[in-house]
Amino acid sequence: MGKLWQRNYYEHIIRDDKSYQHISKYILNNPAKWKEDKFFKY
């Protein structure tokens, strides 16, 4: 029917506060970079 996982997807276990902060910043700030992505078309 189709692929379930996104290509090059990986999981990451958050082991400490530093890792949590880094991942949180990525999640919050990444959408702002969408227009710079090679797959952005509009």
Side-chain angles (χ1 to χ4, degrees), residues 10-30:
Y10 68 95
E11 294 181 16
H12 181 82
I13 296 172
I14 299 172
R15 299 188 186 276
D16 57 26
D17 189 58
K18 183 178 178 181
S19 180
Y20 172 79
Q21 294 299 327
H22 178 75
I23 292 168
S24 295
K25 280 184 181 180
Y26 174 83
I27 291 170
L28 292 172
N29 295 323
N30 199 46

